Amino acid sequence: MNASDYYQDTAARIEKALRYCDDTQAVVVGEQTLGQVGTFFKRLFPNQRAIVVADATTFELAGKRVAEELNAAGISTDEPYVYDEPGMHAEMRLVDMLKPRLAATDAIPVAVGSGTVNDLCKYSSSLVERSYMVVGTAASMDGYASFGASIEYNECKQTFSCPAPRVILIDMDVVCKAPVKMNAAGFADLIAKIPAGADWILADLIGTEPIDTIAWSLVQDSLRDWVANPEGVASGDRKALTFLTEGLIMSGLAMQKAKTSRTASGAEHQFSHLWDNQHHKFNGEAPSHGFKVGVGTVSTSALYERILSTWNESTFDAAIAAIPQNYRTWETIEKELEENFGTSGLYETVKRECAKKFVEPDELERRLKLFRDNWNELKKRLSNQLMPAAEIQRIIAAAKAPSTPEEIGIERSRLQKSYALAQQLRYRYNCLDWTRDLGLWEETVTHLFQPGGFWFK
Ligand SMILES: [Zn+2]
């Protein structure tokens, strides 16, 4: 297969996905595509002005060239808006800086960068009710095509609902030159869709979030191919990075289609959100989203492995019989939330999320019976979906992303506690909730840290 073949295949799969999306109308992934910025801008934003938005690094990397291409195509441009904030992350203060600049013009923002610049530009553009275009500079996360922006506000990382970009343009020459750790982070964010899919299967079965089969296909159908060459991602192999880019864009399009991130995120993301909100830093800086998600992915994969090797139909019968003793009342949960989150800014959020997923004993019994009655099929489906934790760990490490908690500065004891806190972070049903529902936390999660367990050392 020569280069143009796989670009064509990628383009065809993305084109098909675009039919289901409302916001994004064009995606370009290829070589030397920076030269096409003007053409696509004119086609998708006829007769409009442009303003390049970048940070100091991405401006040098591609922003300057994008501004030149826009001018060369005869498009009027405003002076580029370049953030000069070393080590910046997506926070409301930076939205407050960009928004007035956008409000003062009618120019279409052209974000040049990856996660941070895209999120800031996506949200700021929505605040002035304007579509925007993004020129991605690294395959570092799945947020290019997703609706919603992840921004820190009041010391908490939050997702703000806002439209996805109208045009996404990725020049693989730029992505291939991105720092290895950025593309490695994107790889970990992508392989996370394996356990995330398993979590969605659980939520689908109990009926809280039914599977959207189109969005499911967009993420899951080619997932194994996209993550098949982690060594290539680490060494800058063009085909491996093109597949990675495709996978991340498709994941974003799936979120855009389904209007929920359920399609691309499960319990593994809750570990990452937890550490975000604990303002976790390692060697003076916050590990990237993908790095945290990668460790979360190994963590939930290890939990699933334990579940699938120890639970059977009678496990559910025993759990049903034990409901009167094991049932966790709201008072118990509330007390725990106070202990776990009482002094953090997250307390009100976790209380609301846990209240949403709180169930009465009859509902718990109904769920446990559903799991029991569908066990054989469910087990088969989960086994087909998942990969062994050690294998996930090997693949993530081969892509040069951290595969152990210590590599992002998380001790085993803290990881153990994180399983419990991550479970309480969000309404979204997953393997952590499942373990709680069965009353088997000790035997399942705690065991992972005991002799013979995956995380024992
Ligand atoms: Zn993610």
Side-chain angles (χ1 to χ4, degrees):
M1 191 186 265
N2 66 39
S4 59
D5 285 340
Y6 64 76
Y7 284 128
Q8 274 173 18
D9 290 346
T10 288
R13 284 186 289 261
I14 290 176
E15 204 56 42
K16 213 171 130 194
L18 283 177
R19 284 191 235 143
Y20 304 109
C21 296
D22 300 332
D23 301 331
T24 305
Q25 293 170 21
V27 175
V28 188
V29 177
E31 282 170 28
Q32 298 181 10
T33 56
L34 282 187
Q36 299 172 37
V37 166
T39 313
F40 276 91
F41 186 91
K42 271 186 174 164
R43 191 182 303 163
L44 278 303
F45 299 103
N47 306 316
Q48 286 184 276
R49 298 172 63 80
I51 174 170
V52 169
V53 178
D55 64 28
T57 310
T58 61
F59 188 68
E60 282 307 312
L61 203 66
K64 218 184 253 178
R65 167 86 193 279
V66 167
E68 285 164 12
E69 291 293 339
L70 291 167
N71 286 322
I75 296 154
S76 310
T77 55
D78 285 15
E79 187 66 24
Y81 185 89
V82 182
Y83 281 107
D84 185 16
E85 301 270 332
M88 73 182 209
H89 64 282
E91 55 176 321
M92 202 51 87
R93 180 177 66 84
L94 301 180
V95 170
D96 292 339
M97 285 163 67
L98 176 58
K99 189 190 145 195
R101 182 62 197 281
L102 297 182
T105 177
D106 58 0
I108 296 296
V110 180
V112 181
S114 57
T116 304
V117 170
N118 182 49
D119 275 339
L120 293 170
C121 199
K122 191 189 286 186
Y123 189 51
S124 303
S125 302
S126 81
L127 293 176
V128 296
E129 294 179 354
R130 210 168 298 158
S131 296
Y132 81 107
M133 171 172 180
V134 63
V135 177
T137 54
S140 54
M141 43 79 235
D142 62 14
Y144 288 124
S146 68
F147 92 111
S150 176
I151 311 245
E152 189 181 310
Y153 180 55
N154 285 342
E155 295 193 11
C156 284
K157 197 101 179 235
Q158 304 181 32
T159 302
F160 292 87
S161 187
C162 52
R166 190 180 294 176
V167 193
I168 301 166
L169 185 139
I170 312 269
D171 189 331
M172 291 310 298
D173 296 310
V174 176
V175 170
C176 289
K177 283 188 217 126
V180 171
K181 64 176 189 179
M182 291 189 82
N183 294 332
F187 185 87
D189 200 21
L190 186 58
I191 203 167
K193 297 3 171 188
I194 288 180
D199 284 342
W200 201 5
I201 290 172
L202 298 181
D204 180 64
L205 180 61
I206 64 166
T208 54
E209 286 167 286
I211 286 179
D212 172 329
T213 51
I214 292 170
W216 172 274
S217 285
L218 295 182
V219 177
Q220 300 290 340
D221 285 1
S222 304
L223 183 51
R224 301 288 172 134
D225 296 332
W226 294 329
V227 297
N229 187 1
E231 293 83 2
V233 167
S235 67
D237 176 81
R238 217 162 259 270
K239 186 177 168 191
L241 286 171
T242 303
F243 273 17
L244 170 61
T245 303
E246 176 190 328
L248 293 169
I249 288 177
M250 292 287 272
S251 301
L253 294 175
M255 289 188 257
Q256 195 182 135
K257 191 268 160 201
K259 296 279 183 288
T260 164
S261 61
R262 173 94 242 185
T263 57
S265 121
E268 76 297 324
H269 268 73
Q270 290 176 207
F271 284 82
S272 172
H273 296 161
L274 174 72
W275 298 326
D276 283 342
N277 285 307
Q278 291 175 338
H279 304 284
H280 172 61
K281 286 205 166 73
F282 183 50
N283 293 336
E285 55 180 271
S288 64
H289 170 75
F291 281 8
K292 285 179 278 203
V293 168
V295 174
T297 298
V298 178
S299 301
T300 59
S301 299
L303 174 57
Y304 269 117
E305 207 168 297
R306 174 77 186 154
I307 288 173
L308 293 177
S309 65
T310 54
W311 294 4
N312 53 46
E313 275 168 2
S314 61
T315 313
F316 296 95
D317 283 326
I320 293 163
I323 290 177
Q325 303 91 276
N326 287 347
Y327 178 71
R328 287 157 56 82
T329 62
W330 178 246
E331 287 67 35
T332 309
I333 294 169
E334 205 176 18
K335 206 168 137 242
E336 257 183 39
L337 293 178
E338 214 170 312
E339 278 164 25
N340 291 340
F341 297 99
T343 54
S344 82
L346 276 178
Y347 184 54
E348 289 306 321
T349 311
V350 293
K351 223 166 117 172
R352 196 176 58 233
E353 293 292 311
C354 285
K356 263 207 282 188
K357 69 178 172 187
F358 175 72
V359 289
E360 298 294 339
D362 333 349
E363 169 60 11
L364 179 58
E365 188 176 336
R366 183 195 71 89
R367 284 180 184 183
L368 295 176
K369 283 182 174 161
L370 257 179
F371 288 127
R372 181 196 60 195
D373 297 344
N374 291 283
W375 177 245
N376 288 334
E377 198 195 326
L378 177 64
K379 187 176 177 184
K380 208 191 290 163
R381 230 177 134 195
L382 292 174
S383 305
N384 287 337
Q385 173 67 24
L386 291 156
M387 282 168 100
E391 177 65 359
I392 292 259
Q393 215 170 16
R394 186 197 65 76
I395 296 173
I396 289 180
K400 295 271 189 289
S403 65
T404 63
E406 288 78 11
E407 289 168 86
I408 56 164
I410 304 277
E411 300 283 324
R412 297 283 149 125
S413 55
R414 181 169 172 194
L415 180 67
Q416 187 176 346
K417 180 82 181 154
S418 296
Y419 275 86
L421 301 191
Q423 188 266 327
Q424 297 178 320
L425 214 58
R426 203 165 189 181
Y427 158 76
R428 188 165 286 173
Y429 198 84
N430 58 56
C431 53
L432 301 168
D433 297 307
W434 198 24
T435 307
R436 276 277 179 237
D437 278 356
L438 269 98
L440 293 175
W441 196 265
E442 294 296 313
E443 297 82 342
T444 319
V445 174
T446 312
H447 180 271
L448 297 173
F449 295 86
Q450 292 167 344
F454 185 83
W455 290 122
F456 180 73
K457 60 168 204 181

